[in-house]
Amino acid sequence: HIDTETISKLDLKENLNIGSQILVSQISKLVPILKHKFSNMNPRKLQKRDITILSRITEIVNDPQSVDTLLQFSLPILLQRIRSSDQEENLEMSIEALTKLLSKTSSPKQHILFIIPLFSKVTTARARKLLCESMKTLASYCDAEAIESLSITAEIITEMNATDEKWIEQPDYERRLAVYKRIHKMFEDD
């Protein structure tokens, strides 16, 4: 049974294949099965196929309870995978899956502390850019009282990781210096 109403509400980059369309109506039954499978798995033995499954599931899950359950068991796995991954593609898929889940959770603010330490572990420019995007995503989904401070934090982090558009993967020192001056001014004002 294909649930076309739910599928039309999903924010998708590309059309779902038939298998994924069928899974949409079964997602509430699939999440506990995935929880059991991944909770007993060593994060270092996580294969590209497993990350792909998690990534695809994060696209089609919409129920906040299922999202929170997915985050509960997959966040430690994805974070461990991001910290120890040596393959850039797997690293990027893990960050994208994490970002999709965080954008759909009912309480994004509580997960911010898990994201920030990843900046010290992730070294590739593309992966750092994805982390910056996940910070922006988290900031945009927070409640009104937290959105201003998180938006400023996300903006500062993005500027601290700015790359020069003229040169591939070269730091944009002017933007980075400007944000350091901004931080200094913020501390002086307080």
Side-chain angles (χ1 to χ4, degrees):
H1 163 257
I2 295 177
D3 187 356
T4 55
E5 182 180 328
T6 304
I7 292 171
S8 66
K9 294 177 184 176
L10 297 175
D11 181 28
L12 301 170
K13 292 181 184 177
E14 56 190 49
N15 290 333
L16 291 177
N17 61 31
I18 295 294
S20 295
Q21 289 179 18
I22 293 170
L23 279 180
V24 169
S25 63
Q26 302 299 318
I27 200 76
S28 61
K29 296 174 186 171
L30 185 62
V31 169
I33 294 168
L34 288 172
K35 180 179 180 179
H36 178 71
K37 177 183 173 24
F38 286 110
S39 63
N40 296 327
M41 182 180 280
N42 181 348
R44 293 173 193 207
K45 293 186 179 180
L46 200 65
Q47 301 295 318
K48 182 180 177 185
R49 180 192 63 155
D50 300 320
I51 296 171
T52 303
I53 290 169
L54 265 178
S55 182
R56 292 299 290 182
I57 293 296
T58 59
E59 288 180 358
I60 61 176
V61 67
N62 248 2
D63 172 39
Q65 183 180 3
S66 295
V67 170
D68 289 337
T69 303
L70 271 171
L71 266 172
Q72 179 185 5
F73 75 83
S74 67
L75 189 61
I77 292 169
L78 290 172
L79 293 175
Q80 177 65 33
R81 187 66 185 182
I82 291 168
R83 287 186 192 112
S84 65
S85 182
D86 54 350
Q87 295 179 336
E88 190 172 340
E89 183 181 357
N90 289 347
L91 180 68
E92 290 173 9
M93 284 177 66
S94 297
I95 293 171
E96 286 174 351
L98 186 62
T99 302
K100 287 174 196 168
L101 283 174
L102 291 172
S103 70
K104 295 177 182 180
T105 184
S106 58
S107 55
K109 186 178 170 183
Q110 77 183 42
H111 301 292
I112 232 132
L113 294 176
F114 294 108
I115 301 294
I116 293 175
L118 294 177
F119 283 97
S120 68
K121 305 289 183 196
V122 174
T123 57
T124 65
R126 169 90 173 114
R128 290 181 77 79
K129 188 173 183 176
L130 287 171
L131 279 175
C132 289
E133 291 301 318
S134 70
M135 285 296 294
K136 287 179 185 177
T137 301
L138 274 174
S140 67
Y141 285 100
C142 283
D143 56 11
E145 87 179 36
I147 197 165
E148 183 180 350
S149 64
L150 286 178
S151 294
I152 292 170
T153 303
E155 183 181 324
I156 287 172
I157 289 172
T158 301
E159 290 299 306
M160 290 175 78
N161 288 282
T163 55
D164 196 333
E165 293 177 14
K166 297 175 189 172
W167 303 97
I168 298 174
E169 293 192 19
Q170 291 298 313
D172 188 338
Y173 293 109
E174 290 177 19
R175 285 173 58 193
R176 291 180 182 200
L177 282 173
V179 80
Y180 279 115
K181 287 178 185 176
R182 179 179 171 190
I183 293 169
H184 185 72
K185 186 176 180 337
M186 287 169 67
F187 280 117
E188 283 181 346
D189 292 345
D190 286 341

